[in-house]
Amino acid sequence: EEGEEMEENEDDLELEEQPRSAVSRKQDAKAVPKPKDAKKDAERQRAAAEEIPYTFDMPDDAGGLEHLLADREVKTQRLILQRLIQCHAVALSPHNKSKLEGLLSLLLNRVQSLAPPDGDSDIKHESLDACIWGLFLVSREIPTHAAAEAISLIVHLEQRLADGVSSPDGPD
């Protein structure tokens, strides 16, 4: 009886050991770096070095905004603008309203510089799209100020067109 009971226990142990050995084989496989894993690790480290921070200081001028957005993909520009606006939301602090108003002005100026009215220079469509998207986000935070700025731009454009119609040379 003891011999039979011992064999049954050994059989039980074998069943238990099989899953363990499968797990330990997986762990052993993970422990040995494969060439693909080394490449992936290098890519992850490079991506971590280039990672976009979650918080940003509000840029004070066009140069500061350009520094944040220049030479980046559209997706990254949008992410930066989104995080910038979220970090300075009016809901977080009433003092952020003036910061967002400044950002709105910077973005409007950036739109004008990316899409010059002369038509001779190249338009940077991707950056322009990201900038317009940022304008949309800021406008949601400070809608009254954004509407006043839009009205001001339209009135200015109307005045330029009216002056151009009355001028023999046409609009500016």
Side-chain angles (χ1 to χ4, degrees):
E1 283 181 13
E2 282 184 33
E4 288 177 23
E5 198 173 298
M6 184 90 146
E7 286 178 30
E8 287 177 19
N9 288 341
E10 286 177 10
D11 289 341
D12 290 341
L13 288 175
E14 285 179 4
L15 290 175
E16 289 177 8
E17 287 180 9
Q18 287 176 352
R20 284 186 191 157
S21 62
V23 168
S24 52
R25 274 187 260 137
K26 288 180 184 177
Q27 289 175 346
D28 291 341
K30 288 181 182 178
V32 177
K34 297 178 182 177
K36 284 185 180 180
D37 291 339
K39 288 180 183 178
K40 286 182 182 179
D41 287 341
E43 288 176 17
R44 285 186 199 134
Q45 289 175 352
R46 186 174 50 251
E50 296 173 359
E51 188 172 307
I52 306 300
Y54 286 96
T55 61
F56 293 95
D57 290 332
M58 184 63 73
D60 296 328
D61 56 12
L65 184 62
E66 182 67 23
H67 176 72
L68 287 176
L69 302 177
D71 300 325
R72 297 189 191 256
E73 295 179 6
V74 175
K75 183 177 177 182
T76 306
Q77 289 180 19
R78 284 182 173 207
L79 180 63
I80 290 169
L81 289 170
Q82 178 183 10
R83 288 181 180 176
L84 183 66
I85 294 163
Q86 287 175 342
C87 288
H88 297 90
V90 177
L92 297 176
S93 171
H95 300 296
N96 287 337
K97 183 176 180 180
S98 63
K99 292 179 181 180
L100 290 174
E101 288 171 355
L103 180 61
L104 180 76
S105 295
L106 291 174
L107 289 172
L108 287 170
N109 290 336
R110 184 168 169 84
V111 166
Q112 291 175 354
S113 69
L114 290 172
D118 61 8
D120 293 335
S121 54
D122 293 332
I123 295 176
K124 299 175 184 175
H125 293 284
E126 295 83 16
S127 294
L128 189 60
D129 288 344
C131 194
I132 297 295
W133 188 77
L135 279 171
F136 170 73
L137 292 178
V138 172
S139 296
R140 289 175 51 191
E141 285 288 321
I142 50 171
T144 305
H145 183 75
E149 287 289 323
I151 290 170
S152 174
L153 284 173
I154 291 170
V155 167
H156 178 70
L157 179 60
E158 178 187 28
Q159 185 62 45
R160 282 183 49 206
L161 289 173
D163 291 345
V165 169
S166 63
S167 170
D169 296 333
D172 292 330

